[in-house]
Amino acid sequence: MATFKAIVFTGGKHIKQDGTANIKIRIYHNSSSMYIATEYFIKPDLMGDDGTITSVSDQAEILNYELTKNIQSYREVCIKLGSERTKRMTCSELKEEILLSVNCDSQSIDFVQFAKELISKTVKVKTAQWYDNSLNSFMNFFKKQRIDTKDITVKNLELYIEHLMNTKIVVRKKNMTIIERNMEPGTINNYIRGLRAIYNKAKKQYNNEELDIIRIPSNPFVKISIPQYRRKRKNLSIEDIIRIRDGNFTTSRANMAKDVFMMMFYLMGININDLYLLSSERMGRVEYERSKTNTPDNIGRFTLSIKVEPELRLLLDKYSNGVLLSAFKNKYCCLNNFLRAVNIGLKTISEELNLGVPLSTNWARHSWASIARNKAGINKADIDFCLGHVNHEYKMADIYIDIDYSIYDKANRSVLDLLQKNQEKNS
Protein backbone atom coordinates (compact mmCIF):
# COMPACT_ATOMS: atom_id res chain seq x y z
CA MET A 1 0.00 0.00 0.00
CA ALA A 2 1.25 3.49 -0.84
CA THR A 3 2.34 5.80 1.97
CA PHE A 4 2.07 9.60 2.04
CA LYS A 5 4.07 12.21 3.91
CA ALA A 6 4.40 16.00 3.78
CA ILE A 7 7.99 17.06 3.11
CA VAL A 8 10.01 20.13 2.18
CA PHE A 9 13.08 20.13 -0.06
CA THR A 10 15.96 22.13 1.38
CA GLY A 11 18.16 22.41 -1.71
CA GLY A 12 19.02 25.85 -3.04
CA LYS A 13 16.79 25.73 -6.11
CA HIS A 14 13.77 24.92 -3.94
CA ILE A 15 14.17 27.90 -1.61
CA LYS A 16 12.44 31.15 -2.55
CA GLN A 17 13.92 34.59 -1.91
CA ASP A 18 11.87 34.92 1.26
CA GLY A 19 13.44 31.72 2.61
CA THR A 20 10.35 29.54 2.24
CA ALA A 21 9.92 26.32 0.24
CA ASN A 22 6.92 24.55 -1.19
CA ILE A 23 5.35 21.80 0.91
CA LYS A 24 4.99 18.64 -1.16
CA ILE A 25 3.22 15.37 -0.49
CA ARG A 26 5.56 12.44 -1.10
CA ILE A 27 4.01 9.28 -2.49
CA TYR A 28 6.04 6.14 -1.77
CA HIS A 29 4.82 3.13 -3.72
CA ASN A 30 6.45 0.02 -5.13
CA SER A 31 9.93 1.17 -4.03
CA SER A 32 9.62 4.52 -5.85
CA SER A 33 8.76 8.05 -4.83
CA MET A 34 6.78 10.78 -6.57
CA TYR A 35 5.80 14.23 -5.30
CA ILE A 36 2.67 16.35 -5.52
CA ALA A 37 3.12 20.07 -4.91
CA THR A 38 0.69 21.84 -2.57
CA GLU A 39 -0.27 25.51 -2.49
CA TYR A 40 1.54 26.01 0.84
CA PHE A 41 5.02 27.37 1.64
CA ILE A 42 6.97 27.37 4.90
CA LYS A 43 10.54 27.78 6.05
CA PRO A 44 12.19 24.33 5.96
CA ASP A 45 13.13 24.33 9.67
CA LEU A 46 9.43 24.46 10.57
CA MET A 47 8.78 21.01 9.04
CA GLY A 48 9.07 18.21 11.57
CA ASP A 49 10.58 14.80 10.83
CA ASP A 50 7.13 13.23 11.15
CA GLY A 51 5.72 15.33 8.28
CA THR A 52 3.82 17.82 10.44
CA ILE A 53 4.43 21.53 10.95
CA THR A 54 6.02 22.29 14.32
CA SER A 55 4.13 24.38 16.86
CA VAL A 56 6.71 27.15 16.46
CA SER A 57 4.80 28.23 13.35
CA ASP A 58 1.75 30.40 14.05
CA GLN A 59 0.05 28.62 11.12
CA ALA A 60 0.84 25.12 12.33
CA GLU A 61 -2.74 24.18 13.19
CA ILE A 62 -4.35 25.23 9.89
CA LEU A 63 -1.47 23.89 7.76
CA ASN A 64 -1.49 20.50 9.49
CA TYR A 65 -5.26 20.36 9.02
CA GLU A 66 -5.03 21.12 5.28
CA LEU A 67 -2.14 18.72 4.68
CA THR A 68 -3.90 15.94 6.56
CA LYS A 69 -7.02 16.59 4.47
CA ASN A 70 -4.96 16.32 1.27
CA ILE A 71 -3.30 13.10 2.37
CA GLN A 72 -6.65 11.62 3.38
CA SER A 73 -8.09 12.39 -0.05
CA TYR A 74 -5.11 10.64 -1.66
CA ARG A 75 -5.57 7.61 0.60
CA GLU A 76 -9.25 7.55 -0.31
CA VAL A 77 -8.32 7.26 -3.99
CA CYS A 78 -6.05 4.31 -3.20
CA ILE A 79 -8.74 2.62 -1.14
CA LYS A 80 -11.26 2.98 -3.97
CA LEU A 81 -8.76 1.59 -6.46
CA GLY A 82 -8.15 -1.43 -4.22
CA SER A 83 -4.91 -3.15 -3.34
CA GLU A 84 -5.07 -5.60 -6.25
CA ARG A 85 -5.19 -2.75 -8.72
CA THR A 86 -2.69 -0.42 -7.05
CA LYS A 87 -0.02 -3.07 -6.70
CA ARG A 88 0.05 -3.36 -10.50
CA MET A 89 0.56 0.37 -10.85
CA THR A 90 3.87 2.20 -10.90
CA CYS A 91 4.32 5.14 -8.56
CA SER A 92 4.01 7.50 -11.54
CA GLU A 93 0.72 5.89 -12.64
CA LEU A 94 -0.62 6.11 -9.10
CA LYS A 95 0.26 9.81 -8.92
CA GLU A 96 -1.47 10.45 -12.23
CA GLU A 97 -4.57 8.61 -11.06
CA ILE A 98 -4.63 10.53 -7.78
CA LEU A 99 -4.38 13.87 -9.58
CA LEU A 100 -7.15 12.94 -12.00
CA SER A 101 -9.40 11.85 -9.14
CA VAL A 102 -8.88 14.82 -6.82
CA ASN A 103 -8.89 17.47 -9.54
CA CYS A 104 -12.29 16.41 -10.82
CA ASP A 105 -15.27 15.03 -9.04
CA SER A 106 -15.30 11.38 -10.07
CA GLN A 107 -19.05 11.77 -10.56
CA SER A 108 -18.71 14.86 -12.75
CA ILE A 109 -16.23 15.70 -15.52
CA ASP A 110 -16.55 19.12 -17.12
CA PHE A 111 -16.42 18.57 -20.87
CA VAL A 112 -16.09 22.31 -21.58
CA GLN A 113 -13.12 22.74 -19.27
CA PHE A 114 -11.39 19.69 -20.74
CA ALA A 115 -12.06 20.91 -24.29
CA LYS A 116 -10.68 24.38 -23.59
CA GLU A 117 -7.52 22.92 -22.07
CA LEU A 118 -7.16 20.63 -25.10
CA ILE A 119 -7.61 23.57 -27.49
CA SER A 120 -4.95 25.60 -25.69
CA LYS A 121 -2.46 22.73 -26.11
CA THR A 122 -3.30 21.91 -29.74
CA VAL A 123 -0.38 22.93 -31.93
CA LYS A 124 -2.10 22.90 -35.33
CA VAL A 125 -4.05 26.13 -35.67
CA LYS A 126 -6.78 24.75 -37.95
CA THR A 127 -7.36 21.76 -35.64
CA ALA A 128 -7.64 24.10 -32.65
CA GLN A 129 -10.12 26.28 -34.56
CA TRP A 130 -12.11 23.18 -35.52
CA TYR A 131 -12.35 22.09 -31.88
CA ASP A 132 -13.23 25.63 -30.77
CA ASN A 133 -15.99 26.10 -33.35
CA SER A 134 -17.49 22.70 -32.51
CA LEU A 135 -17.40 23.43 -28.77
CA ASN A 136 -18.93 26.90 -29.13
CA SER A 137 -21.78 25.50 -31.22
CA PHE A 138 -22.43 22.79 -28.62
CA MET A 139 -22.35 25.30 -25.75
CA ASN A 140 -24.76 27.55 -27.65
CA PHE A 141 -27.18 24.62 -27.92
CA PHE A 142 -26.90 23.73 -24.22
CA LYS A 143 -26.87 27.43 -23.22
CA LYS A 144 -24.42 26.53 -20.45
CA GLN A 145 -20.76 27.22 -19.73
CA ARG A 146 -20.37 23.82 -18.07
CA ILE A 147 -21.42 20.53 -19.66
CA ASP A 148 -21.03 17.28 -17.75
CA THR A 149 -19.77 14.38 -19.85
CA LYS A 150 -22.77 12.41 -18.54
CA ASP A 151 -25.02 14.90 -20.34
CA ILE A 152 -23.51 13.97 -23.69
CA THR A 153 -26.05 11.28 -24.43
CA VAL A 154 -27.56 9.84 -27.59
CA LYS A 155 -30.79 11.77 -26.95
CA ASN A 156 -29.00 15.10 -26.42
CA LEU A 157 -26.81 14.59 -29.48
CA GLU A 158 -29.85 13.83 -31.61
CA LEU A 159 -31.55 16.98 -30.29
CA TYR A 160 -28.37 18.93 -31.07
CA ILE A 161 -28.30 17.62 -34.66
CA GLU A 162 -32.00 18.50 -35.04
CA HIS A 163 -31.24 21.98 -33.70
CA LEU A 164 -28.46 22.44 -36.25
CA MET A 165 -30.62 21.17 -39.11
CA ASN A 166 -33.26 23.78 -38.22
CA THR A 167 -30.72 26.59 -37.81
CA LYS A 168 -31.03 29.33 -40.42
CA ILE A 169 -27.86 30.86 -41.83
CA VAL A 170 -28.11 34.50 -42.87
CA VAL A 171 -26.20 35.26 -46.07
CA ARG A 172 -25.59 38.84 -47.18
CA LYS A 173 -25.08 39.14 -50.92
CA LYS A 174 -22.83 41.67 -52.63
CA ASN A 175 -25.88 43.66 -53.82
CA MET A 176 -26.90 43.98 -50.15
CA THR A 177 -29.77 41.49 -50.44
CA ILE A 178 -30.13 39.11 -47.51
CA ILE A 179 -31.19 35.50 -47.83
CA GLU A 180 -31.64 32.68 -45.33
CA ARG A 181 -30.69 29.06 -45.87
CA ASN A 182 -30.45 25.92 -43.77
CA MET A 183 -27.13 24.85 -42.37
CA GLU A 184 -25.26 22.60 -44.80
CA PRO A 185 -24.98 18.87 -43.87
CA GLY A 186 -21.21 19.27 -44.22
CA THR A 187 -21.17 21.93 -41.49
CA ILE A 188 -23.22 19.73 -39.16
CA ASN A 189 -20.95 16.78 -39.93
CA ASN A 190 -17.93 18.95 -39.12
CA TYR A 191 -19.31 20.03 -35.73
CA ILE A 192 -20.23 16.48 -34.70
CA ARG A 193 -16.85 15.08 -35.74
CA GLY A 194 -15.13 17.84 -33.78
CA LEU A 195 -17.10 17.02 -30.64
CA ARG A 196 -16.47 13.32 -31.13
CA ALA A 197 -12.72 13.92 -31.40
CA ILE A 198 -12.73 15.94 -28.15
CA TYR A 199 -14.91 13.34 -26.41
CA ASN A 200 -12.60 10.49 -27.44
CA LYS A 201 -9.58 12.40 -26.12
CA ALA A 202 -11.41 12.92 -22.83
CA LYS A 203 -12.05 9.18 -22.61
CA LYS A 204 -8.40 8.52 -23.32
CA GLN A 205 -7.34 10.84 -20.50
CA TYR A 206 -9.85 9.86 -17.85
CA ASN A 207 -10.18 6.13 -18.57
CA ASN A 208 -7.59 3.45 -17.98
CA GLU A 209 -8.93 0.18 -19.39
CA GLU A 210 -5.87 -1.82 -18.33
CA LEU A 211 -6.58 -1.00 -14.69
CA ASP A 212 -10.37 -1.09 -15.17
CA ILE A 213 -10.70 2.62 -14.29
CA ILE A 214 -13.59 3.92 -16.39
CA ARG A 215 -14.81 7.43 -15.60
CA ILE A 216 -16.48 7.99 -19.00
CA PRO A 217 -18.12 4.63 -19.79
CA SER A 218 -20.41 5.45 -22.70
CA ASN A 219 -19.76 6.26 -26.35
CA PRO A 220 -22.95 7.93 -27.62
CA PHE A 221 -21.42 8.97 -30.95
CA VAL A 222 -21.51 5.40 -32.28
CA LYS A 223 -25.29 5.29 -31.86
CA ILE A 224 -26.25 8.47 -33.70
CA SER A 225 -26.71 9.11 -37.39
CA ILE A 226 -24.36 11.90 -38.48
CA PRO A 227 -25.43 13.84 -41.60
CA GLN A 228 -23.02 12.87 -44.35
CA TYR A 229 -20.91 15.45 -46.09
CA ARG A 230 -21.04 15.08 -49.83
CA ARG A 231 -17.98 16.73 -51.28
CA LYS A 232 -18.96 19.23 -53.93
CA ARG A 233 -17.34 18.90 -57.30
CA LYS A 234 -14.79 21.65 -57.84
CA ASN A 235 -13.51 20.77 -61.28
CA LEU A 236 -12.71 23.18 -64.10
CA SER A 237 -12.36 22.16 -67.72
CA ILE A 238 -9.07 22.42 -69.57
CA GLU A 239 -10.54 25.37 -71.48
CA ASP A 240 -11.33 27.25 -68.28
CA ILE A 241 -7.86 26.54 -66.85
CA ILE A 242 -6.38 28.07 -70.03
CA ARG A 243 -8.70 31.08 -69.73
CA ILE A 244 -7.50 31.66 -66.18
CA ARG A 245 -3.85 31.20 -67.17
CA ASP A 246 -4.07 33.63 -70.10
CA GLY A 247 -6.37 36.16 -68.46
CA ASN A 248 -5.45 39.77 -67.73
CA PHE A 249 -7.68 40.93 -64.91
CA THR A 250 -8.74 44.30 -63.59
CA THR A 251 -7.00 44.17 -60.22
CA SER A 252 -3.43 43.36 -59.19
CA ARG A 253 -4.83 41.01 -56.53
CA ALA A 254 -6.70 39.02 -59.16
CA ASN A 255 -3.58 38.75 -61.34
CA MET A 256 -1.59 37.59 -58.33
CA ALA A 257 -4.32 35.07 -57.51
CA LYS A 258 -4.18 33.82 -61.11
CA ASP A 259 -0.44 33.12 -60.74
CA VAL A 260 -0.95 31.36 -57.40
CA PHE A 261 -3.75 29.24 -58.86
CA MET A 262 -1.56 28.19 -61.80
CA MET A 263 1.41 27.42 -59.50
CA MET A 264 -0.84 25.15 -57.47
CA PHE A 265 -2.01 23.46 -60.68
CA TYR A 266 1.57 23.05 -61.99
CA LEU A 267 2.57 21.57 -58.60
CA MET A 268 0.04 18.73 -58.96
CA GLY A 269 -2.66 20.43 -56.93
CA ILE A 270 -0.50 21.42 -53.95
CA ASN A 271 -2.51 22.73 -51.01
CA ILE A 272 -2.13 26.50 -50.50
CA ASN A 273 -0.85 25.92 -46.94
CA ASP A 274 2.04 23.91 -48.35
CA LEU A 275 2.65 26.39 -51.16
CA TYR A 276 2.98 29.22 -48.65
CA LEU A 277 5.37 27.16 -46.51
CA LEU A 278 7.72 26.20 -49.38
CA SER A 279 11.16 27.52 -48.54
CA SER A 280 13.67 26.08 -50.98
CA GLU A 281 14.24 24.38 -54.30
CA ARG A 282 16.85 21.67 -54.77
CA MET A 283 18.27 20.47 -58.08
CA GLY A 284 15.29 21.68 -60.06
CA ARG A 285 12.75 20.10 -57.73
CA VAL A 286 10.38 21.34 -55.03
CA GLU A 287 10.16 19.04 -52.02
CA TYR A 288 7.74 19.15 -49.09
CA GLU A 289 5.65 17.09 -46.69
CA ARG A 290 1.98 17.93 -46.49
CA SER A 291 1.35 20.08 -43.42
CA LYS A 292 -2.02 18.34 -43.00
CA THR A 293 -0.34 14.97 -42.42
CA ASN A 294 2.81 16.23 -40.71
CA THR A 295 2.00 15.07 -37.19
CA PRO A 296 4.20 12.94 -34.88
CA ASP A 297 1.75 10.03 -34.84
CA ASN A 298 1.39 9.85 -38.62
CA ILE A 299 4.04 7.31 -39.64
CA GLY A 300 2.58 7.01 -43.14
CA ARG A 301 3.52 10.51 -44.27
CA PHE A 302 6.05 10.88 -47.05
CA THR A 303 7.98 13.52 -48.96
CA LEU A 304 6.60 14.81 -52.23
CA SER A 305 9.22 15.83 -54.80
CA ILE A 306 7.95 17.70 -57.87
CA LYS A 307 9.99 18.61 -60.93
CA VAL A 308 9.97 22.32 -61.74
CA GLU A 309 8.49 22.40 -65.24
CA PRO A 310 9.14 25.41 -67.55
CA GLU A 311 5.64 26.80 -66.96
CA LEU A 312 6.24 26.72 -63.21
CA ARG A 313 9.75 28.13 -63.49
CA LEU A 314 8.47 31.46 -64.86
CA LEU A 315 6.14 31.93 -61.90
CA LEU A 316 8.61 30.80 -59.23
CA ASP A 317 11.18 33.28 -60.53
CA LYS A 318 8.58 36.05 -60.66
CA TYR A 319 7.76 35.74 -56.96
CA SER A 320 11.20 34.75 -55.58
CA ASN A 321 14.05 37.04 -54.63
CA GLY A 322 16.83 34.96 -53.13
CA VAL A 323 14.31 32.89 -51.17
CA LEU A 324 11.63 30.73 -52.80
CA LEU A 325 8.34 32.66 -53.09
CA SER A 326 9.68 35.37 -50.78
CA ALA A 327 7.29 37.93 -52.30
CA PHE A 328 4.32 36.22 -50.65
CA LYS A 329 5.93 35.97 -47.22
CA ASN A 330 7.10 39.59 -47.38
CA LYS A 331 3.65 40.89 -48.29
CA TYR A 332 1.50 38.57 -46.17
CA CYS A 333 2.57 38.00 -42.58
CA CYS A 334 0.58 34.79 -42.16
CA LEU A 335 -1.10 32.05 -44.14
CA ASN A 336 -4.63 33.24 -43.36
CA ASN A 337 -3.97 36.69 -44.83
CA PHE A 338 -2.41 35.12 -47.92
CA LEU A 339 -5.30 32.68 -48.36
CA ARG A 340 -7.88 35.45 -47.93
CA ALA A 341 -6.18 37.65 -50.54
CA VAL A 342 -5.91 34.81 -53.06
CA ASN A 343 -9.53 33.74 -52.65
CA ILE A 344 -10.76 37.32 -53.03
CA GLY A 345 -8.71 37.54 -56.23
CA LEU A 346 -10.11 34.24 -57.49
CA LYS A 347 -13.65 35.47 -56.87
CA THR A 348 -12.89 38.44 -59.13
CA ILE A 349 -11.50 36.07 -61.77
CA SER A 350 -14.66 33.95 -61.68
CA GLU A 351 -16.84 37.02 -62.12
CA GLU A 352 -14.77 38.50 -64.96
CA LEU A 353 -14.57 35.19 -66.84
CA ASN A 354 -18.21 34.40 -66.05
CA LEU A 355 -17.22 30.94 -64.76
CA GLY A 356 -20.37 30.71 -62.67
CA VAL A 357 -18.62 28.97 -59.76
CA PRO A 358 -17.36 30.12 -56.31
CA LEU A 359 -13.73 29.77 -57.41
CA SER A 360 -11.24 29.16 -54.60
CA THR A 361 -7.80 27.61 -54.21
CA ASN A 362 -9.31 24.12 -53.82
CA TRP A 363 -10.40 24.21 -57.45
CA ALA A 364 -6.78 23.96 -58.64
CA ARG A 365 -6.31 20.69 -56.71
CA HIS A 366 -9.62 19.17 -57.77
CA SER A 367 -9.15 20.22 -61.40
CA TRP A 368 -5.64 18.77 -61.65
CA ALA A 369 -6.86 15.42 -60.27
CA SER A 370 -9.89 15.27 -62.59
CA ILE A 371 -7.93 16.18 -65.70
CA ALA A 372 -5.20 13.69 -64.76
CA ARG A 373 -7.72 10.88 -64.46
CA ASN A 374 -10.28 11.70 -67.13
CA LYS A 375 -8.15 13.31 -69.83
CA ALA A 376 -4.58 12.08 -69.25
CA GLY A 377 -5.58 8.55 -68.21
CA ILE A 378 -3.46 8.49 -65.03
CA ASN A 379 -4.46 5.66 -62.68
CA LYS A 380 -6.05 6.56 -59.36
CA ALA A 381 -3.19 5.18 -57.24
CA ASP A 382 -0.70 7.51 -58.91
CA ILE A 383 -3.09 10.44 -58.59
CA ASP A 384 -3.46 9.64 -54.89
CA PHE A 385 0.31 9.83 -54.48
CA CYS A 386 0.60 13.05 -56.50
CA LEU A 387 -1.97 14.64 -54.18
CA GLY A 388 -0.04 13.48 -51.11
CA HIS A 389 -2.69 11.01 -49.93
CA VAL A 390 -1.63 8.02 -47.86
CA ASN A 391 -3.06 4.91 -49.55
CA HIS A 392 -3.53 2.30 -46.81
CA GLU A 393 -4.35 -0.39 -49.38
CA TYR A 394 -0.68 -0.42 -50.38
CA LYS A 395 0.92 0.14 -46.99
CA MET A 396 2.75 -3.20 -47.05
CA ALA A 397 3.97 -2.73 -50.62
CA ASP A 398 5.16 0.77 -49.70
CA ILE A 399 7.53 -0.77 -47.14
CA TYR A 400 9.40 -2.58 -49.91
CA ILE A 401 9.10 -0.23 -52.89
CA ASP A 402 11.32 2.83 -53.24
CA ILE A 403 9.60 5.94 -54.55
CA ASP A 404 10.37 6.64 -58.21
CA TYR A 405 9.44 10.27 -58.66
CA SER A 406 9.97 10.09 -62.41
CA ILE A 407 6.61 8.26 -62.65
CA TYR A 408 4.88 11.26 -61.13
CA ASP A 409 6.93 13.71 -63.20
CA LYS A 410 5.54 12.01 -66.31
CA ALA A 411 2.01 12.15 -64.91
CA ASN A 412 2.27 15.87 -64.24
CA ARG A 413 3.87 16.57 -67.61
CA SER A 414 1.07 14.73 -69.39
CA VAL A 415 -1.49 16.93 -67.64
CA LEU A 416 0.37 20.14 -68.47
CA ASP A 417 0.79 19.04 -72.09
CA LEU A 418 -2.99 18.84 -72.38
CA LEU A 419 -3.17 22.59 -71.83
CA GLN A 420 -0.72 23.14 -74.66
CA LYS A 421 -2.44 20.69 -77.02
CA ASN A 422 -5.84 22.18 -76.34
CA GLN A 423 -4.55 25.68 -76.96
CA GLU A 424 -2.95 24.63 -80.27
CA LYS A 425 -6.15 22.86 -81.31
CA ASN A 426 -8.26 25.98 -80.73
CA SER A 427 -5.78 28.46 -82.24
Side-chain angles (χ1 to χ4, degrees), residues 176-279:
M176 300 305 293
T177 59
I178 297 175
I179 62 171
E180 286 189 349
R181 62 172 175 80
N182 289 330
M183 186 177 288
E184 294 280 353
T187 305
I188 300 173
N189 179 284
N190 201 45
Y191 284 154
I192 299 297
R193 288 188 300 105
L195 290 173
R196 182 177 62 190
I198 298 170
Y199 189 85
N200 286 339
K201 288 183 182 295
K203 291 190 68 170
K204 185 175 181 180
Q205 174 165 319
Y206 286 103
N207 293 349
N208 188 331
E209 286 80 4
E210 290 183 356
L211 297 170
D212 198 27
I213 301 169
I214 309 297
R215 293 190 178 86
I216 306 177
S218 63
N219 190 359
F221 290 90
V222 301
K223 297 181 180 179
I224 62 172
S225 178
I226 303 175
Q228 291 302 304
Y229 168 55
R230 293 185 177 181
R231 186 176 293 275
K232 295 178 180 179
R233 298 294 183 185
K234 299 178 180 180
N235 309 320
L236 294 174
S237 66
I238 295 175
E239 292 78 12
D240 284 337
I241 297 290
I242 292 173
R243 291 174 67 204
I244 293 173
R245 182 195 67 187
D246 297 341
N248 187 16
F249 303 101
T250 56
T251 67
S252 58
R253 175 177 284 172
N255 286 309
M256 179 274 292
K258 171 193 72 172
D259 290 341
V260 171
F261 187 90
M262 293 311 302
M263 276 190 273
M264 294 174 66
F265 188 85
Y266 296 150
L267 285 164
M268 303 192 302
I270 188 174
N271 186 284
I272 194 167
N273 301 34
D274 298 318
L275 178 73
Y276 182 78
L277 294 172
L278 291 179
S279 58

Side-chain angles (χ1 to χ4, degrees), residues 60-308:
E61 186 173 358
I62 184 64
L63 285 176
N64 283 327
Y65 171 79
E66 293 295 337
L67 294 172
T68 300
K69 188 168 69 172
N70 282 2
I71 289 173
Q72 286 299 98
S73 69
Y74 299 166
R75 285 186 177 134
E76 182 181 357
V77 173
C78 292
I79 291 170
K80 288 182 177 179
L81 288 172
S83 58
E84 285 300 316
R85 194 179 294 167
T86 56
K87 72 182 180 182
R88 303 199 310 269
M89 302 171 72
T90 66
C91 193
S92 176
E93 289 172 336
L94 182 59
K95 174 188 173 181
E96 182 180 354
E97 188 57 36
I98 288 172
L99 290 174
L100 280 174
S101 296
V102 299
N103 288 337
C104 75
D105 180 350
S106 61
Q107 302 301 313
S108 175
I109 297 172
D110 186 352
F111 181 76
V112 174
Q113 180 183 344
F114 172 83
K116 289 183 175 180
E117 290 174 358
L118 173 66
I119 291 165
S120 69
K121 297 174 185 176
T122 300
V123 176
K124 299 193 78 170
V125 176
K126 285 199 169 183
T127 303
Q129 290 173 342
W130 175 40
Y131 290 162
D132 193 46
N133 291 339
S134 301
L135 177 66
N136 288 335
S137 173
F138 201 46
M139 290 170 64
N140 181 59
F141 165 70
F142 264 93
K143 301 188 184 313
K144 293 196 299 186
Q145 294 296 311
R146 187 185 190 285
I147 302 172
D148 196 314
T149 52
K150 293 197 299 297
D151 291 332
I152 303 177
T153 61
V154 172
K155 181 179 179 180
N156 281 336
L157 287 175
E158 287 176 343
L159 289 172
Y160 172 56
I161 292 173
E162 183 180 350
H163 162 76
L164 293 178
M165 293 176 72
N166 292 327
T167 298
K168 298 294 183 181
I169 306 297
V170 177
V171 181
R172 188 183 297 275
K173 294 291 187 178
K174 199 171 185 179
N175 60 4
M176 300 305 293
T177 59
I178 297 175
I179 62 171
E180 286 189 349
R181 62 172 175 80
N182 289 330
M183 186 177 288
E184 294 280 353
T187 305
I188 300 173
N189 179 284
N190 201 45
Y191 284 154
I192 299 297
R193 288 188 300 105
L195 290 173
R196 182 177 62 190
I198 298 170
Y199 189 85
N200 286 339
K201 288 183 182 295
K203 291 190 68 170
K204 185 175 181 180
Q205 174 165 319
Y206 286 103
N207 293 349
N208 188 331
E209 286 80 4
E210 290 183 356
L211 297 170
D212 198 27
I213 301 169
I214 309 297
R215 293 190 178 86
I216 306 177
S218 63
N219 190 359
F221 290 90
V222 301
K223 297 181 180 179
I224 62 172
S225 178
I226 303 175
Q228 291 302 304
Y229 168 55
R230 293 185 177 181
R231 186 176 293 275
K232 295 178 180 179
R233 298 294 183 185
K234 299 178 180 180
N235 309 320
L236 294 174
S237 66
I238 295 175
E239 292 78 12
D240 284 337
I241 297 290
I242 292 173
R243 291 174 67 204
I244 293 173
R245 182 195 67 187
D246 297 341
N248 187 16
F249 303 101
T250 56
T251 67
S252 58
R253 175 177 284 172
N255 286 309
M256 179 274 292
K258 171 193 72 172
D259 290 341
V260 171
F261 187 90
M262 293 311 302
M263 276 190 273
M264 294 174 66
F265 188 85
Y266 296 150
L267 285 164
M268 303 192 302
I270 188 174
N271 186 284
I272 194 167
N273 301 34
D274 298 318
L275 178 73
Y276 182 78
L277 294 172
L278 291 179
S279 58
S280 62
E281 175 190 334
R282 188 166 66 91
M283 300 178 66
R285 304 188 72 84
V286 170
E287 296 182 351
Y288 72 98
E289 284 188 1
R290 289 191 70 199
S291 55
K292 185 176 181 179
T293 61
N294 191 15
T295 54
D297 59 343
N298 186 359
I299 60 174
R301 65 182 185 272
F302 54 88
T303 299
L304 281 161
S305 177
I306 305 173
K307 182 181 178 182
V308 177

